[in-house]
Amino acid sequence: MNVLNDYSCSWIKDLTTRTNIKTLKKDLNTHWLIIGAGITGLSAARKLSQIYPNQTIIIVDAQLAGEGASSRNSGYLVDSTLNDGFTSNKELENYKKKTDIYKLGIEVVNRFIKEYQVDCDWNECGKYFASSKEVDKKILENFSEILSKLGFQHNILFNKDLIKRFGTNFYNIALHTKGGILLHPGKLVRAMIDTLPENVDLYENSPLLNWRKYNGKINCNFENGSIKTKKIIFATNGFLKSLGIKPNYNFPITLTASMTRSLTDEEFRSIGEPKEWGILPVRPMGATIRMTKDRRILIRNTAEVHNPYKMSKSELNKRSIKQKIGIKKRFPQFPDDIIQSTWSGVVSRTRNSSQIFEKLDDNIFVAGCYNGSGIGVGTLFGEQIAIKASNENTNEIKTIEARNKPTWLPPQPFLNIGVKARLVYEKLRAKSEL
Ligand SMILES: Cc1cc2nc3c(=O)[nH]c(=O)nc-3n(C[C@H](O)[C@H](O)[C@H](O)COP(=O)(O)OP(=O)(O)OC[C@H]3O[C@@H](n4cnc5c(N)ncnc54)[C@H](O)[C@@H]3O)c2cc1C
C-alpha cells in the first residue's frame, strides 16, 4: 500500500517546490540500499557516502523525500522528556541512558547544521513542561529532582511569570529546561536532501512492495522496477511493521497538528509580544503548543490508532476543530478562522519506549521508533546504523545499545484494543490540557 499524505503541512508549504524528482523505473544493482528518506534514512545515506565514497548508495522513498513525519513534527529537538507518548518511566538509571542518547542527538544535529551552514530557525530557548492544574506541581517537583541529579539546568515557574512568557493565563505551573532547541523541521530536512553527496542516488514516489533475501543478496521489488543490493537499511519508522520488520515490537500511531497564520501586530500585542516558546504537556496526552519565530502558533493535541497510510480530508477537519478549541482555550481573543493548515503524521512506538537499532540478519539493518524525539535521535541513529552496518563500533553505538531493547507486544486484535484503551484513559486524564 502506498503512503498518501495530505498536502497541508505548513512546514512543507514554507519550502520551495523541488523539481529534480526521480522515480524508480528500472532494475538496478547496488552496494547499499536504504528504504525511507526521512531524517533517519537521509542521515544514514550521508554517513555511508563518507565511509564508502566509491560505492553505490541508493535511497528510496514511497513519497517525496522528507515529507513524512520528519517534516511534519513540532520541531522540538529535545534534551529531556517528561513523557514518552503515554509512558513516563523515570527510574533514574534508565532515564539517564535515555538522556545520554538525546544529548548525542543534539550534538549530531548541531554538527550537521554547522558543517552545512543550515538555516533552520535554530533557537536554543529550551522548552517548558506546563499544566493548567496546580496539582501537577507534584509531578514537576519529582521530575525536577531527577533533572537535578542528572545536572540539567531547569526551574519551576508559576502563573504570573507564565502569562508574560506565553501571553496566556491558561497555565498555572511549568518547568523550564534550559537545554533543548526549537527549530523548523521542514528546513532541516530539506537541507539533508539538498546536501546528499554525489554517490547517493535518491528515488522518490517509489514504494517498496516486498523484499527477500536470496543467495546472499537482498531483492527488493518496487512498483516499476527492482533493486538487488548487498546491504540494506530499513528506515521507514512508522511503516516498519507493514514491511514485516520487527512486527511484534513496534506499532504506528497517527498524530495531527495545526498551525495558525502569523499573528497580526494587533494580535501579537494583545498577548504581550512574547519571545518564541515551546510547551510540552505534563499529562501525556495533553497538547504540545508552540509559538514560532514568525509568530505562528502550532498545536498538536491528538494521538490515535488510525490507518497509517492516509487520513481523509473530513477526518482531518474534525481534528482541526479540536485544535481550534485548544487554541481558543488559551487565546480566546483570536478569530475562529486563524488556523491555516492541519496535517497528520505517523510515528512509531514501542511498548517500553525504547528505540529499535539493530542488525536483523546478515547485511540487514534497521533503525527507528523514537516516539517524540526523532529529530535528534533519528539523525544519530541514521548515522550510527550506517557505521554499524559497516562493521565498525563507536562510543555512540555503545551508548545506544546500553539502553533496554524494546519489549514484546501482544498480537492483534489484543494490541489495538490495549493501545486504544490506554489512549482513552490518558485522554480523559488530560482533558483539561487538550
Ligand atoms: C505531528 C508530529 C509531531 C512530532 N513532534 C516531534 C518533535 O517535536 N520532536 C521530535 O524529535 N520528534 C517529533 N515527532 C517524531 C519525529 O517526526 C519522528 O520520530 C521522525 O521524523 C522519524 O524520522 P524517520 O526518518 O525515522 O521516519 P519518517 O520521517 O517517518 O520517514 C520514513 C519514510 O519511510 C517512507 N516509507 C514508508 N514505507 C515505505 C515503503 N514501503 N517504501 C519506501 N519508503 C517507505 C515514508 O514515506 C517516510 O518518508 C513528531 C511526529 C509527528 C507526526
Side-chain angles (χ1 to χ4, degrees):
M1 224 170 144
N2 204 348
V3 185
L4 283 178
N5 261 324
D6 49 80
Y7 293 99
S8 50
C9 175
S10 292
W11 299 124
I12 298 173
K13 284 180 172 177
D14 290 344
L15 308 172
T16 52
T17 308
R18 287 178 48 241
T19 50
N20 50 346
I21 315 295
K22 264 194 313 188
T23 300
L24 186 72
K25 287 188 186 137
K26 51 191 168 189
D27 300 331
L28 297 171
N29 262 294
T30 185
H31 292 109
W32 294 93
L33 176 61
I34 300 163
I35 305 294
I39 289 173
T40 307
L42 293 165
S43 302
R46 188 174 61 250
K47 182 51 83 183
L48 277 180
S49 79
Q50 288 162 3
I51 307 174
Y52 301 105
N54 299 319
Q55 297 198 2
T56 48
I57 300 158
I58 296 179
I59 176 165
V60 187
D61 203 291
Q63 55 179 324
L64 289 176
E67 296 202 4
S70 290
S71 291
R72 292 167 171 263
N73 59 60
S74 308
Y76 293 67
L77 173 52
V78 294
D79 62 331
S80 55
T81 45
L82 175 57
N83 305 300
D84 268 331
F86 40 78
T87 62
S88 43
N89 183 352
K90 293 290 165 312
E91 195 257 306
L92 192 65
E93 198 191 333
N94 274 334
Y95 192 74
K96 180 176 180 326
K97 286 181 184 167
K98 180 165 86 167
T99 52
D100 286 346
I101 293 176
Y102 291 164
K103 183 167 178 270
L104 292 173
I106 293 180
E107 283 168 10
V108 75
V109 179
N110 202 354
R111 250 197 320 275
F112 171 73
I113 63 155
K114 290 220 164 99
E115 190 176 340
Y116 294 94
Q117 307 207 332
V118 177
D119 172 11
C120 60
D121 301 347
W122 181 274
N123 187 348
E124 293 179 12
C125 59
K127 62 181 176 335
Y128 297 84
F129 297 98
S131 173
S132 71
K133 296 279 177 206
E134 270 167 33
V135 289
D136 287 347
K137 187 170 170 210
K138 190 84 207 124
I139 300 174
L140 291 180
E141 282 172 348
N142 289 342
F143 187 41
S144 167
E145 247 177 64
I146 287 167
L147 293 177
S148 298
K149 281 183 192 154
L150 296 177
F152 284 92
Q153 281 190 51
H154 67 281
N155 56 329
I156 292 186
L157 298 145
F158 296 92
N159 181 269
K160 262 195 188 155
D161 261 337
L162 299 176
I163 294 174
K164 275 192 232 140
R165 291 180 189 224
F166 305 149
T168 165
N169 65 5
F170 179 80
Y171 292 102
N172 280 308
I173 182 152
L175 183 150
H176 178 250
T177 61
K178 200 158 177 281
I181 288 101
L182 295 180
L183 52 75
H184 188 305
K187 289 185 184 175
L188 175 71
V189 178
R190 176 58 65 84
M192 290 183 175
I193 298 167
D194 289 345
T195 58
L196 277 178
E198 291 234 310
N199 65 326
V200 175
D201 251 336
L202 169 65
Y203 290 95
E204 301 170 76
N205 296 325
S206 308
L208 171 66
L209 302 179
N210 55 61
W211 63 281
R212 71 182 184 126
K213 200 170 167 190
Y214 182 71
N215 272 349
K217 279 211 162 187
I218 300 120
N219 299 332
C220 293
N221 292 313
F222 299 82
E223 229 159 46
N224 298 308
S226 69
I227 302 179
K228 267 199 185 97
T229 182
K230 282 190 179 152
K231 292 200 178 189
I232 191 165
I233 296 175
F234 286 100
T236 53
N237 204 39
F239 303 90
L240 287 172
K241 199 178 163 100
S242 64
L243 290 170
I245 314 285
K246 297 200 69 76
N248 297 322
Y249 293 88
N250 73 99
F251 58 97
I253 291 278
T254 302
L255 311 180
T256 52
S258 290
M259 183 98 89
T260 67
R261 56 165 169 72
S262 284
L263 302 184
T264 61
D265 288 348
E266 196 183 324
E267 286 161 350
F268 193 49
R269 270 197 301 276
S270 81
I271 62 167
E273 305 183 271
K275 290 196 185 119
E276 182 174 7
W277 48 255
I279 298 171
L280 294 168
V282 172
R283 301 187 185 197
M285 290 290 286
T288 296
I289 181 156
R290 177 182 161 187
M291 155 91 66
T292 65
K293 182 186 164 195
D294 57 358
R295 303 179 188 176
R296 292 182 289 180
I297 294 175
L298 173 145
I299 181 164
R300 185 204 61 73
N301 61 8
T302 74
E304 60 196 300
V305 176
H306 193 276
N307 172 2
Y309 291 96
K310 189 176 174 13
M311 187 170 281
S312 71
K313 185 99 183 80
S314 68
E315 286 175 306
L316 212 49
N317 285 343
K318 284 186 200 147
R319 274 85 185 159
S320 184
I321 291 168
K322 286 188 187 161
Q323 284 151 6
K324 182 178 80 184
I325 294 169
I327 289 179
K328 296 280 280 186
K329 249 198 260 188
R330 290 156 177 92
F331 302 101
Q333 68 271 48
F334 292 169
D336 278 0
D337 60 354
I338 196 161
I339 288 182
Q340 201 166 51
S341 69
T342 302
W343 64 90
S344 64
V346 182
V347 296
S348 178
R349 290 271 164 85
T350 55
R351 185 173 183 168
N352 58 352
S353 73
S354 279
Q355 302 97 352
I356 293 179
F357 179 88
E358 34 179 291
K359 175 176 176 174
L360 288 175
D361 193 353
D362 282 347
N363 302 327
I364 305 178
F365 297 83
V366 57
C369 296
Y370 318 115
N371 295 314
S373 56
I375 298 175
V377 183
T379 308
L380 174 74
F381 276 40
E383 290 198 5
Q384 296 300 322
I385 200 72
I387 296 173
K388 187 177 171 77
S390 311
N391 300 320
E392 298 292 329
N393 206 348
T394 59
N395 286 332
E396 284 87 345
I397 292 178
K398 284 182 197 141
T399 304
I400 292 168
E401 292 184 340
R403 243 197 126 184
N404 294 338
K405 292 253 177 279
T407 41
W408 185 83
L409 289 163
Q412 297 292 10
F414 306 106
L415 175 63
N416 274 1
I417 293 169
V419 174
K420 281 182 183 169
R422 186 60 194 256
L423 289 171
V424 168
Y425 167 74
E426 293 294 355
K427 236 183 254 172
L428 286 174
R429 274 195 63 222
K431 208 167 164 218
S432 60
E433 310 302 308
L434 291 174

